[in-house]
Amino acid sequence: GLFGGKRALEVVKEYSKDGRPIKGKVAVVTGANNGAGFETAHALAVAGARVILAGRRLDAIKEAIRSIQDKLGNAENAGSVEMIPDVPLDLEDLQNVRNYAKEFQKLGCPLHLLVLNAGVMAQPFRLSPQGHESTWAINHLGHFLLCQLLMDKLRASQPARVICVSSELHRSAPNPDQEFSNWTHPEKYSWMEAYGASKLSNILMAKELARRFHDQKLDIIAVSLHPGVGPTGLAKEGLSGVLIGLYRAIGGMILFSHEQLAATSTFCCVAPPSSLVPGEYYARCAVMKTSHPLAEDAEKAEQLWKKSEELTKEFSAPLN
């Protein structure tokens, strides 16, 4: 049909038949104030988790929390939603990412589910405070650093999961001979390529995380996913109607509601470990083939990891 796909709450229901797999677990969802991030946070709270909503605009996060609390009402077995008071997460600024991780650590709670959902697309060219192309900085590098800084917390909270929200548009990443964050020249900049590169980076990061978790014998699952194509808050800046039309067209005309866009992220959090293949790319709650020649390239994944370490090293010293 035109509107395809399960909704996040249906996924929760399906996996809550034999008990409540994430009841009492602690989740952090980035970009949780609207769209799929909001619906993912809502679904995880319905499933019984303690969900911490992270985002750049504190007023929007507060509003989202109120809204989810209203929806939860006095539901039996529901979890809770909260934020770290007065602490924004601005993924574009690595110093801010470090500050957020520090404040999270002060909460003294475990971390079982890290959902790296925040993202921007169709940005006009600009550089981050640390001088990286902003789409890649926000969608990949900020999340990479956040994950690094919270790694000790994830290890201490095993079994845990890291969920990297990517996109089918990873196919628009530039050719292999171009470096990932190579758009420091505005005249060469294409927002579609920059977005594609950031989303390919999400897939490669999940692959490399999975490899490392496996080698270190850690009970932490990392996966990436394509949420579907639908109305999102990603493209507030500069996406004309024509481009939105095109973007929808590549979705095979299947448009997802926000609740459907959150289904696969929710699935990756609540499904039993036996239903997930570490390092894989998911769509519609199942493993999906990637659509870029580099997406399965283990060597490229390792290169990206090293490069990301290099670019964040000034901010990545252990928090303790």
Side-chain angles (χ1 to χ4, degrees):
L2 188 61
F3 292 91
K6 284 179 201 160
R7 294 194 300 277
L9 292 179
E10 292 170 338
V11 173
V12 168
K13 209 167 168 183
E14 196 177 318
Y15 288 96
S16 302
K17 288 192 188 108
D18 314 319
R20 303 176 59 75
I22 64 167
K23 187 169 173 52
K25 301 279 189 207
V26 180
V28 169
V29 181
T30 69
N33 57 299
N34 61 21
F38 172 87
E39 295 299 342
T40 302
H42 175 216
L44 297 181
V46 168
R50 174 184 174 188
V51 187
I52 296 163
L53 284 73
R56 199 174 35 125
R57 292 183 16 247
L58 295 175
D59 53 336
I61 293 283
K62 279 187 187 130
E63 190 48 52
I65 287 171
R66 270 198 298 274
S67 171
I68 293 173
Q69 282 168 340
D70 287 350
K71 288 175 193 269
L72 292 175
N74 299 321
E76 213 187 333
N77 275 329
S80 60
V81 282
E82 65 191 90
M83 65 194 285
I84 306 179
D86 307 319
V87 184
L89 172 63
D90 178 359
L91 290 158
E92 191 172 2
D93 183 352
L94 299 175
Q95 186 58 59
N96 179 286
V97 172
R98 182 173 176 83
N99 185 51
Y100 186 87
K102 238 186 194 142
E103 294 299 324
F104 177 82
Q105 191 149 0
K106 285 182 192 166
L107 297 179
C109 63
L111 173 59
H112 305 101
L113 301 165
L114 179 56
V115 184
L116 303 175
N117 162 86
V120 294
M121 82 182 288
Q123 299 270 78
F125 179 83
R126 70 163 190 266
L127 294 178
S128 73
Q130 286 79 30
H132 310 298
E133 187 279 316
S134 72
T135 301
W136 191 77
I138 293 166
N139 295 359
H140 166 67
L141 201 59
H143 276 143
F144 174 85
L145 177 61
L146 182 65
C147 186
Q148 292 290 76
L149 291 170
L150 296 177
M151 195 59 78
D152 287 347
K153 196 52 104 171
L154 287 164
R155 282 167 183 262
S157 311
Q158 298 175 65
R161 294 182 190 183
V162 180
I163 314 296
C164 303
V165 179
S166 176
S167 162
E168 198 34 48
L169 280 175
H170 73 273
R171 70 167 85 157
S172 62
N175 290 335
D177 56 353
Q178 265 180 283
E179 268 301 316
F180 283 105
S181 61
N182 182 8
W183 292 278
T184 33
H185 301 296
E187 68 281 358
K188 288 192 187 144
Y189 178 74
S190 139
W191 71 255
M192 192 70 148
E193 286 192 351
Y195 184 70
S198 73
K199 297 288 103 183
L200 177 58
S201 297
N202 298 151
I203 293 173
L204 292 172
M205 173 168 141
K207 286 221 174 301
E208 181 64 10
L209 273 170
R211 187 184 73 78
R212 285 163 181 260
F213 292 152
H214 176 266
D215 288 354
Q216 295 163 25
K217 300 193 170 33
L218 298 174
D219 190 0
I220 310 176
I221 294 173
V223 291
S224 62
L225 64 98
H226 167 56
V229 176
T232 81
L234 284 178
K236 288 214 173 55
E237 290 185 54
L239 203 55
S240 70
V242 176
L243 285 173
I244 288 176
L246 267 172
Y247 180 46
R248 288 181 176 168
I250 66 159
M253 289 323 295
I254 295 167
L255 288 184
F256 284 50
S257 67
H258 288 143
E259 295 87 350
Q260 288 169 320
L261 289 173
T264 302
S265 303
T266 303
F267 165 81
C268 291
C269 289
V270 300
S274 57
S275 306
L276 290 175
V277 185
E280 279 297 346
Y281 173 67
Y282 282 76
R284 290 176 174 265
C285 305
V287 170
M288 164 100 167
K289 251 172 79 79
T290 50
S291 49
H292 191 289
L294 286 182
E296 304 296 329
D297 186 332
E299 204 178 317
K300 197 68 184 171
E302 194 180 2
Q303 274 172 23
L304 172 68
W305 184 277
K306 295 208 160 110
K307 169 168 187 152
S308 304
E309 272 184 336
E310 180 65 27
L311 294 178
T312 54
K313 69 172 187 282
E314 213 183 305
F315 304 95
S316 61
L319 293 169
N320 302 18

